[in-house]
Amino acid sequence: MERILEAPYEICIERARFVTEAYRRTAGRPPAHRAAEAFENTVRRMTCYVLPEERIVGNRSSKVLGTVLPVERGEANLILELELDALLRRPRRPFRIDPADRRELEREILPWWRGRTLRERKNARMRRAGLVPLPSLDPRTLAPRMRALDLRRLGRTVAPPGMTPWAALRGAWNLLHNNPGLATNVF
């Protein structure tokens, strides 16, 4: 029990890695087949361990106290791209991630999922049906949102290197416009 209470919060990319591998390999196949392949690849290859003090065993991550990343759903991908540094530096119980895992997450896994997640497909269908509201432009909510944005990091995430802050802001508007749930879920 002490091992769990004293363990650091860690980000485990094993599931994200194995799911991404399977989805890349099964492009063009039916969604149910792809999901089954991803599940099989994950359970066959993920780290499995039993702690000595456990009476009920099983784990979802390779870390004692690790969070898994359901990258195919897309709920946290953009937040990870924009706010990973903040999660690692937060004052209380910051997350940890192995530097090699971070590089893989930022350079290979998250970029591959852009435009392919369940969330993005759902939002596109809702937009086509006219069911998605635009983000609020109320000055009372817009100012805190603007303060929350780190334009340098945003520019690196949504645009090529060398982009001006205003161009990054236009990219942010397009991002929020195309992902309306982001504005209400994050800010």
Side-chain angles (χ1 to χ4, degrees):
M1 175 99 150
E2 288 301 314
R3 179 191 324 246
I4 293 170
L5 292 174
E6 293 175 4
Y9 289 163
E10 295 186 81
I11 296 173
C12 173
I13 71 161
E14 270 194 351
R15 182 188 180 284
R17 176 187 297 133
F18 301 143
V19 166
T20 302
E21 285 174 2
Y23 272 86
R24 279 182 171 151
R25 188 174 58 241
T26 59
R29 294 188 189 158
H33 180 91
R34 297 180 86 191
E37 290 274 336
F39 178 72
E40 180 183 23
N41 195 44
T42 302
V43 297
R44 285 189 186 275
R45 298 183 58 204
M46 71 181 288
T47 301
C48 186
Y49 61 86
V50 178
L51 298 175
E53 63 271 14
E54 288 182 317
R55 293 182 184 190
I56 299 174
V57 299
N59 56 292
R60 293 179 35 170
S61 102
S62 63
K63 314 295 182 195
V64 173
L65 193 55
T67 186
V68 295
L69 306 174
V71 289
E72 73 282 10
R73 291 181 50 202
E75 301 296 331
N77 296 10
L78 185 61
I79 293 168
L80 283 169
E81 288 188 64
L82 295 173
E83 297 294 327
L84 184 57
D85 285 331
L87 291 171
L88 301 176
R89 287 191 322 256
R90 67 185 187 176
R92 185 166 180 204
R93 301 292 309 252
F95 280 92
R96 293 183 187 172
I97 186 169
D98 178 85
D101 286 351
R102 180 178 182 165
R103 278 189 300 279
E104 181 179 352
L105 182 66
E106 291 179 329
R107 294 179 185 171
E108 298 174 32
I109 296 171
L110 293 174
W112 188 85
W113 282 102
R114 286 187 201 130
R116 293 180 170 104
T117 66
L118 181 61
R119 179 186 181 102
E120 290 163 318
R121 290 177 27 226
K122 175 193 73 169
N123 285 344
R125 285 186 177 186
M126 290 178 69
R127 272 194 309 280
R128 283 193 300 270
L131 298 174
V132 179
L134 291 174
S136 170
L137 294 178
D138 183 336
R140 294 171 294 177
T141 61
L142 193 56
R145 289 180 191 168
M146 293 303 297
R147 282 192 302 274
L149 289 175
D150 177 351
L151 291 180
R152 291 176 311 240
R153 184 151 181 86
L154 183 64
R156 288 192 308 266
T157 303
V158 299
M163 175 178 259
T164 67
W166 288 111
L169 187 56
R170 270 195 313 278
W173 168 254
N174 291 334
L175 188 66
L176 291 173
H177 180 71
N178 293 325
N179 298 284
L182 180 69
T184 55
N185 293 337
V186 175
F187 300 114

